[in-house]
Amino acid sequence: MISVFEHPWLFGLFGDEEAAALWSAEVQLGHFRAFEAALARAKESAGQVPPNHGEAAASIIETAEIDLHGLARGTGTDGLPIPNLVRQLRAAAGDYHAAVHTGATSQDVMDTALSLTLKALTGLLQDRLKDLDVKLAELTQTQGPNALMGRTRMQAALPITAGDRLASWRQPLASHIAALDALRPQVERLQLGGAVGTRGDSGQAGPQIAAQMASVLGLQDGPVWHTDRSSVAAYAGCLSLITGSLGKIGQDVALMAQQGIDEVTLAAGGGSSAMPHKSNPVLAELLVTLARFNATQLAGMHQALVHEQERSGAAWMLEWMILPQMSVTTARALAASLTLCAQIKSLGNKRAHSI
């Protein structure tokens, strides 16, 4: 077993196909092609390649057969897939090879692919956050007036309503949606810095080329961010905050479901191989686990902030290992939260609590 997110049976608990697909080889290769095609066309528009050469190269880039095994071998040798990809594309482009990748560096391609991935991921997460907000609003309508015992430090405190508890679950969601919106300009950015991050490879036409590429790709144009990974780390922090809020829901439900407390009734639960009478609050437990996982991964993303000089291989690789898992964790936590809330048959009780 390498990853619970892709394991044949643990995937059933931890996996999220829609989020994982955003990081698939097919989708990422599509982003690489989009970058290279946009660059070829922009270089033609800037007069840096002969007329029609950029368009011809772009058409070949978009349709060329790519040897994925070659990319794997190249990654093992070069530390990333782009050098091998560029060799394959230039060979396919023939007489138009000068329009392929000239003025860019491998990090430009992969960082732009990351930006396109996070753009799609943000849309997915915001949709699920909004769906969860609607579901909690529905529960407030149906269960809100019911009585609950308020608990501080896990001890009985004073009576509250189910609506009070639900409000604490719902409150952070709007902030998370707004935070993701605020991060869009920071993480949905074109990367085009060239060899050492100065755009010197593109000469005076660098700004024009970047602006055209950003427009075509649907990204922001701005300063080069080869070594400034603060926005990527901030995005990871937002993912951890989201799963932390969902983990609070899970922890509350798990405690409320305890026999003797019985403050929540779930339509479904997990079984036991030894105790068939049990109905375990599996999804509630999962939310706690996912929250703790993302919290531990966030430290790694902060380690990846330390990019030495004009490019780091080591810190950059760390992002590749951590951020995709954090994104799938967050998406899965949202999906599990929606399912868990849909399983709530009753919350609190009709009678007032007494201490």
Side-chain angles (χ1 to χ4, degrees), residues 280-296:
N280 296 317
V282 173
L283 291 180
E285 295 171 325
L286 176 65
L287 292 178
V288 177
T289 299
L290 295 175
R292 290 173 175 164
F293 178 81
N294 262 0
T296 61

Side-chain angles (χ1 to χ4, degrees), residues 169-220:
W169 297 355
R170 190 181 177 193
Q171 180 178 335
L173 302 185
S175 295
H176 295 321
I177 293 168
L180 287 169
D181 267 334
L183 283 166
R184 281 188 181 275
Q186 300 177 49
V187 298
E188 297 174 14
R189 291 191 290 169
L190 175 76
Q191 182 77 283
L192 184 65
V196 290
T198 63
R199 289 189 181 166
D201 317 64
S202 298
Q204 293 184 342
Q208 175 189 339
I209 291 170
Q212 179 175 329
M213 290 180 67
S215 177
V216 167
L217 294 170
L219 297 173
Q220 299 285 323

Side-chain angles (χ1 to χ4, degrees), residues 32-62 89 93 96-104 192 209 212-213 216-217:
F32 297 166
R33 290 181 191 267
F35 175 94
E36 296 290 1
L39 175 61
R41 292 185 172 109
K43 291 189 77 65
E44 180 179 324
S45 296
Q48 293 197 339
V49 297
N52 301 319
H53 279 223
E55 181 58 41
S59 296
I60 293 169
I61 288 166
E62 291 168 339
L89 292 176
Y96 309 114
H97 69 275
V100 177
H101 195 69
T102 304
L192 184 65
I209 291 170
Q212 179 175 329
M213 290 180 67
V216 167
L217 294 170

Side-chain angles (χ1 to χ4, degrees), residues 133-317:
D133 185 63
V134 169
K135 188 60 188 176
L136 290 174
E138 292 172 354
L139 282 173
T140 301
Q141 287 293 318
T142 60
Q143 308 292 324
N146 295 348
L148 273 180
M149 176 53 67
R151 300 179 189 277
T152 61
R153 300 176 69 175
M154 299 181 69
Q155 304 299 308
L158 293 171
I160 62 171
T161 66
D164 294 324
R165 183 71 54 81
L166 287 165
S168 73
W169 297 355
R170 190 181 177 193
Q171 180 178 335
L173 302 185
S175 295
H176 295 321
I177 293 168
L180 287 169
D181 267 334
L183 283 166
R184 281 188 181 275
Q186 300 177 49
V187 298
E188 297 174 14
R189 291 191 290 169
L190 175 76
Q191 182 77 283
L192 184 65
V196 290
T198 63
R199 289 189 181 166
D201 317 64
S202 298
Q204 293 184 342
Q208 175 189 339
I209 291 170
Q212 179 175 329
M213 290 180 67
S215 177
V216 167
L217 294 170
L219 297 173
Q220 299 285 323
D221 184 21
V224 176
W225 47 285
H226 281 174
T227 58
D228 178 8
R229 314 308 286 184
S230 54
S231 295
V232 180
Y235 194 90
C238 187
L239 298 182
S240 184
L241 291 174
I242 292 170
T243 49
S245 295
L246 302 179
K248 186 266 194 294
I249 296 175
Q251 186 74 87
D252 282 354
V253 171
L255 291 171
M256 294 164 71
Q258 290 182 106
Q259 293 168 342
I261 301 295
D262 300 317
E263 290 180 329
V264 66
T265 303
L266 301 175
S272 166
S273 62
M275 294 167 283
H277 62 282
K278 292 184 68 183
S279 179
N280 296 317
V282 173
L283 291 180
E285 295 171 325
L286 176 65
L287 292 178
V288 177
T289 299
L290 295 175
R292 290 173 175 164
F293 178 81
N294 262 0
T296 61
Q297 298 307 300
L298 185 57
M301 288 300 296
H302 286 173
Q303 290 283 352
L305 285 167
V306 186
H307 272 244
E308 66 278 1
Q309 299 161 332
E310 281 62 59
R311 179 171 301 109
S312 174
W316 193 26
M317 290 180 194

Side-chain angles (χ1 to χ4, degrees), residues 26-152:
E26 180 182 5
V27 171
Q28 293 300 306
L29 182 57
H31 292 334
F32 297 166
R33 290 181 191 267
F35 175 94
E36 296 290 1
L39 175 61
R41 292 185 172 109
K43 291 189 77 65
E44 180 179 324
S45 296
Q48 293 197 339
V49 297
N52 301 319
H53 279 223
E55 181 58 41
S59 296
I60 293 169
I61 288 166
E62 291 168 339
T63 59
E65 290 289 331
I66 300 299
D67 176 9
L68 297 184
H69 294 295
L71 289 186
R73 290 191 298 272
T75 301
T77 300
D78 303 320
L80 67 176
I82 305 305
N84 183 274
L85 175 64
V86 170
R87 286 193 290 271
Q88 292 190 47
L89 292 176
R90 283 179 171 163
D95 292 342
Y96 309 114
H97 69 275
V100 177
H101 195 69
T102 304
T105 192
S106 295
Q107 187 172 2
D108 293 334
V109 185
M110 294 186 68
D111 277 352
T112 300
L114 174 63
S115 295
L116 292 168
T117 302
L118 296 185
K119 181 177 182 178
L121 177 65
T122 293
L124 184 156
L125 297 180
Q126 288 185 319
D127 285 347
R128 293 188 186 180
L129 282 162
K130 291 171 185 176
D131 289 345
L132 182 57
D133 185 63
V134 169
K135 188 60 188 176
L136 290 174
E138 292 172 354
L139 282 173
T140 301
Q141 287 293 318
T142 60
Q143 308 292 324
N146 295 348
L148 273 180
M149 176 53 67
R151 300 179 189 277
T152 61

